[in-house]
Amino acid sequence: MPLWHRLIVFGAVLLVTVVVARLVDRRMARRELPAGAVTRYRVLRRSVLTLIVFVGLLSALLVIPQVRAVATGILASSAVVGIVVGFAAQRTIGNFISGLLIAFAQPIRLGDWVEFDGSTGQVEEIGLTYTFIRTEDDDRLVIPNEKIASDTIRNSSIRSRKKLAQVSVQVPLDRDLESVSGLLREAAQDEDARVEITALDDHARLTVRVWASDEPAALRLESDLRLRAHDRLREAGVFA
């Protein structure tokens, strides 16, 4: 077969590979799933796409006689090559296997709020070899999957995404604390809000607790609660 024929076949195989990969990717990306299933699905999706591209590229390269001859020689000594490649890529392979374990065992899921190695953030992406965590200051922690699979992680969302928003206020001891508690419940604007007296020192400390849908929502709610509580108590004359 002339060289230009081989080049056409090579290009055609690559084109078919790209088209198939895009079709599979679009098909898999259309589904809307819960967080646990999405985590598995994304890792599986990347694994399938990587396999399709690898097989397609290998098939295209085997059209070229020189590459096929080299491949035959490699297969003849596959045991030695396997050992060499295994040692050279053991960290990458370990991260890939850890990524699959994370996807199916799910110690963390997409969107979970976690604490890892002293840093807190939200799981943004779980890749084939690395996991990306977005911290509170919008930085990104890029962590090898092998490290996540072997270290201890505190996951605040593994049972429920709900997070308790808590705000404490101090009022003078001569105020009617029962009345102040009622004012704080009004400021919370939530019938399930709890107000507790948590300290009686130089001042009385009252804490308002309200459940939010997740960690970011709890942080926003705490800020709103502080403003509403201050305005309501000041309006009622609790604060001079």
Side-chain angles (χ1 to χ4, degrees), residues 225-238:
L225 275 175
R226 291 186 186 97
L227 289 174
R228 294 202 299 263
H230 180 269
D231 290 345
R232 188 70 187 89
L233 294 179
R234 188 175 180 183
E235 181 184 306
V238 176

Side-chain angles (χ1 to χ4, degrees), residues 182-203:
L183 294 172
L184 290 175
R185 288 191 188 90
E186 291 178 14
Q189 299 177 359
D190 188 322
E191 60 182 13
D192 295 325
R194 301 199 318 270
V195 179
E196 299 173 355
I197 300 173
T198 53
L200 287 172
D201 299 320
D202 295 336
H203 293 76

Side-chain angles (χ1 to χ4, degrees), residues 34-36 39 105-116 120-124 126 133-134 136 153-164 211-219:
T39 302
Q106 296 200 341
I108 60 175
R109 302 165 300 177
L110 293 173
D112 281 0
W113 199 265
V114 300
E115 182 178 338
F116 180 80
T120 302
Q122 191 173 33
V123 179
E124 189 174 57
I126 300 176
I133 296 176
R134 177 165 51 85
E136 294 172 322
I153 300 174
R154 180 178 179 180
N155 190 330
S156 301
S157 311
I158 201 163
R159 290 186 178 179
S160 171
R161 291 185 181 277
K162 289 186 176 180
K163 188 70 176 179
L164 191 63
W211 285 103
S213 58
D214 54 27
E215 181 81 16
L219 294 175

Side-chain angles (χ1 to χ4, degrees), residues 83-112:
I83 293 174
V84 173
V85 172
F87 276 111
Q90 60 180 348
R91 296 299 296 272
T92 301
I93 295 172
N95 284 323
F96 174 73
I97 294 174
S98 296
L100 294 178
L101 291 174
I102 291 170
F104 288 93
Q106 296 200 341
I108 60 175
R109 302 165 300 177
L110 293 173
D112 281 0

Side-chain angles (χ1 to χ4, degrees), residues 32-81:
E32 294 185 4
L33 300 169
V38 168
T39 302
R40 295 190 187 99
Y41 213 65
R42 285 199 183 180
V43 174
L44 179 62
R45 176 180 159 195
R46 288 194 178 92
S47 301
V48 170
L49 292 179
T50 301
L51 181 61
I52 290 173
V53 172
F54 175 76
V55 171
L57 182 60
L58 183 62
S59 300
L61 289 173
L62 289 178
V63 173
I64 303 173
Q66 291 84 351
V67 175
R68 190 164 57 244
V70 172
T72 303
I74 290 175
L75 289 174
S77 57
S78 58
V80 176
V81 172

